[in-house]
Amino acid sequence: MKSFKLDNEPKISSGFTTPEGYFDSFTDKMLAQLPKEEPKVISIFSRRKVWYYAAAAVVVMMLSIPLYTNYFRASEEVDALALEDYITNHTTISEDEIANLLDQEDLEKMKLDLNLEDEAVEDILLNNNDLEQYITD
């Protein structure tokens, strides 16, 4: 095989040539063709965008305040069902302790006004066959 050397082989010319002194005055010609006016500078912090940020902040506050008040409010009221379950499951509480916890208004609400006449009581006792059960209870 024949040895191949790049330096010894004849080179093919590309056919393109530049005129003499072309690159010496190239920058001056290029700068002369550019427009002389400065481009308009647009500020990042324009007044229009400030209003967008303010409107977004107002919307976020309008949505977050009701959510915050619903989730993080302290409830002063005790649920009646929860209170009843607590009392039934904790049988160590006596009736006297429950009476001490109640206010005078609560006690007034609990009073029953039974207006039974003597005739109504006699009718119930006569018509009821389980008198012995009432006597023993």
Side-chain angles (χ1 to χ4, degrees):
M1 181 172 220
K2 192 171 160 185
S3 65
F4 180 74
K5 294 185 181 177
L6 288 173
D7 294 334
N8 295 339
E9 297 294 321
K11 298 196 179 188
I12 301 172
S13 65
S14 66
F16 297 103
T17 58
T18 56
E20 299 219 9
Y22 177 75
F23 290 109
D24 295 335
S25 63
F26 178 73
T27 56
D28 296 332
K29 289 179 184 177
M30 184 61 133
L31 288 175
Q33 291 179 355
L34 289 176
K36 301 275 186 210
E37 298 176 9
E38 292 281 328
K40 182 179 178 182
V41 177
I42 301 173
S43 174
I44 293 175
F45 303 106
S46 68
R47 288 184 178 235
R48 194 175 306 161
K49 288 188 180 182
V50 172
W51 288 107
Y52 292 145
Y53 295 138
V58 168
V59 168
V60 167
M61 290 299 286
M62 286 175 47
L63 293 176
S64 64
I65 289 174
L67 292 175
Y68 178 78
T69 56
N70 284 338
Y71 289 122
F72 297 112
R73 69 177 167 166
S75 178
E76 297 285 328
E77 268 182 42
V78 177
D79 186 22
L81 184 62
L83 183 62
E84 184 180 344
D85 288 341
Y86 179 80
I87 290 172
T88 57
N89 291 332
H90 295 84
T91 57
T92 58
I93 298 173
S94 68
E95 293 174 355
D96 295 331
E97 291 173 347
I98 293 172
N100 289 336
L101 293 174
L102 295 175
D103 295 337
Q104 188 63 28
E105 294 175 11
D106 296 333
L107 292 174
E108 292 293 328
K109 289 179 185 176
M110 291 174 56
K111 283 186 181 177
L112 295 176
D113 193 18
L114 298 175
N115 293 329
L116 294 177
E117 296 179 6
D118 291 337
E119 295 173 2
V121 173
E122 287 179 7
D123 287 339
I124 291 172
L125 291 175
L126 287 175
N127 294 331
N128 195 351
N129 296 332
D130 298 329
L131 288 177
E132 293 175 3
Q133 182 180 1
Y134 286 122
I135 293 172
T136 57
D137 288 343

